[in-house]
Amino acid sequence: MTTDPQLRAPLPAERRTALLAALDRDGVVRVADVSRALGVTAVTVRRDITQLEREGRLVRVHGGAVPAAAPAASAAPAPSPTSQTVGVLVPSLDYYWPGVVRGMEAEAREHGLRVVLRGSSYETPDERPALQRLAEADGVSGLILAPRTDGTRGADVARWLRDSGLPHVLVEREAALAPHREALESVVSDHALGALMAVHHLADLGHRRVGLVLSRESPTSRKIAAGWRAACAGLGLSTEEHFERLAPDRRNPEFPGAVTEVVDTAVASGTTALLVHSDPEASAVVQEAMDRGLGVPGDLSVLSYDDEVAGLFSPALTAVRPPRAAVGHAAVDLLLKRLADPERPVHRVAISPRLVVRESTGPVRPG
């Protein structure tokens, strides 16, 4: 994310307030994320963290900070020799997933469980070897995992889970067993509902041309697109009034060109609002629009899907916030109930996100 040099740099008090707000919301902040979102150097962010630590407001950790009030490891219930261990495998240990994992760890502490966390990768072609190592090396009683479910991978992992005999819960993923499509236990954010809420918010502001920008590699994109289409159909917004673009991953060299194309298309088509997944993509679109002299939200309203760092950007981005911590809590709760009663019916839990209205969305400009 780049920052317009003409924008006013946030004052120290504003930076620290934004940093603490993100910490309160997500339970952790990363120097790189705050630096990028606020348009200041990493050195400046580290100084702010150091000052806030002196004031007792947070605790520094490698690469960022955690709340000072977070329960210390010594304060957690000490696992007994017979306590159970939960294995967790997620595709990332930085963006999005830390909030989910913290919810798992908090719920596990309540029950004296030990969590063994492993990270995979969105590029990992097959998670089964990692799951096998987790199950064998750590002697887990059950698994919570977010595997890739596209193509044949989902079916392969589902079969492995069935054959392992371990209780398991999918988190932010859904899968089923062939041949009868028996569902696996799962906890997900209702991303389709989140997208529907976003489009309704923009329509309430008078927008009739609402574009959708998706992350090409994200498993969340399909559900966001479904909610967007359902909202457009329910509100009578025709497909001719909208456009959809798949943005390359922000680390891809093609990313700047894709952002330029999104803004080009919005201007040419008369689109006045965009729903963008996720925060870095949304902030890049806003920056491109402002670099061209477009007002945000005056000429183009932008609503982000994720709310990881949306509130730190200027203007602060209206965003849909998935219930990350709640998903983590519910996943551990489901696994505990499965361990206690192996014959209980399969549960699939969908938790609603929240819409957080900020500065980047507003009424359609007359004329």
Side-chain angles (χ1 to χ4, degrees):
M1 182 178 80
T2 58
T3 301
D4 188 334
Q6 295 182 345
L7 293 177
R8 178 180 65 82
L11 298 172
E14 294 174 320
R15 293 195 311 265
R16 293 165 191 167
T17 297
L19 195 154
L20 289 171
L23 190 60
D24 181 63
R25 183 187 71 234
D26 299 327
V28 66
V29 291
R30 297 175 67 243
V31 170
D33 290 338
V34 177
S35 172
R36 184 170 58 248
L38 295 181
V40 297
T41 66
V43 171
T44 297
V45 177
R46 291 191 189 98
R47 286 173 182 162
D48 288 337
I49 289 174
T50 299
Q51 178 60 38
L52 290 169
E53 185 178 46
R54 291 195 191 103
E55 297 171 6
R57 311 288 294 279
L58 52 73
V59 175
R60 283 182 297 170
V61 296
H62 180 69
V66 297
S74 59
S80 67
T82 58
S83 67
Q84 293 173 313
T85 299
V86 177
V88 176
L89 182 70
V90 293
S92 170
L93 295 176
D94 48 20
Y95 197 83
Y96 190 89
W97 289 99
V100 178
V101 171
R102 283 190 297 277
M104 295 181 198
E105 292 175 335
E107 186 70 20
R109 278 196 302 270
E110 289 291 319
H111 299 278
L113 298 178
R114 174 174 174 255
V115 173
V116 177
L117 175 64
R118 297 287 183 270
S120 179
S121 167
Y122 286 106
E123 285 76 39
T124 300
D126 189 351
E127 288 98 345
R128 287 174 297 172
L131 290 169
Q132 189 74 38
R133 290 192 298 271
L134 189 60
E136 293 176 353
D138 297 299
V140 298
S141 303
L143 293 169
I144 299 175
L145 65 157
R148 294 192 64 166
T149 55
D150 54 318
T152 62
R153 295 183 181 95
D156 291 342
V157 170
R159 283 193 297 269
W160 184 92
L161 290 168
R162 177 197 61 194
D163 296 341
S164 75
L166 285 170
H168 48 269
V169 175
L170 301 188
V171 61
E172 295 291 21
R173 303 286 189 271
E174 294 174 300
L177 279 166
H180 305 301
R181 306 302 297 169
E182 299 168 86
L184 273 63
E185 206 123 53
S186 62
V187 180
V188 299
S189 302
D190 193 341
H191 295 302
L193 174 62
L196 187 143
M197 292 163 60
V199 175
H200 273 264
H201 168 67
L202 295 168
D204 287 346
L205 292 170
H207 297 279
R208 303 298 295 172
R209 297 187 177 183
V210 179
L212 175 66
V213 183
L214 297 173
S215 298
R216 181 174 293 165
E217 301 299 328
S218 173
T220 305
S221 294
R222 175 176 53 85
K223 294 183 178 181
I224 294 175
W228 174 79
R229 292 189 186 99
C232 290
L235 293 166
L237 308 180
S238 70
T239 55
E240 287 77 17
E241 293 176 307
H242 305 87
F243 70 96
E244 180 176 345
R245 289 290 183 272
L246 293 175
D249 185 280
R250 55 189 173 275
R251 294 164 293 187
N252 190 302
E254 299 177 9
F255 180 72
V259 173
T260 298
E261 182 186 359
V262 164
V263 179
D264 283 344
T265 307
V267 171
S269 65
T271 297
T272 59
L274 293 173
L275 169 59
V276 184
H277 179 235
S278 56
D279 290 358
E281 285 82 355
S283 59
V285 168
V286 170
Q287 191 64 55
E288 174 71 17
M290 293 192 301
D291 286 347
R292 298 188 187 196
L294 298 174
V296 177
D299 298 304
L300 182 68
S301 284
V302 177
L303 195 156
S304 177
Y305 197 103
D306 247 3
D307 203 26
E308 189 81 26
V309 293
L312 302 180
F313 192 68
S314 182
L317 304 180
T318 295
V320 174
R321 179 185 300 171
R324 287 179 280 266
V327 166
H329 280 277
V332 173
D333 179 67
L334 266 190
L335 186 62
L336 283 168
K337 289 176 178 174
R338 174 62 56 193
L339 287 166
D341 181 7
E343 301 304 318
R344 76 193 298 263
V346 169
H347 285 55
R348 291 178 294 160
V349 177
I351 305 178
S352 299
R354 288 179 54 203
L355 177 67
V356 183
V357 178
R358 299 192 180 100
E359 301 167 7
S360 66
T361 55
V364 174
R365 179 171 287 176

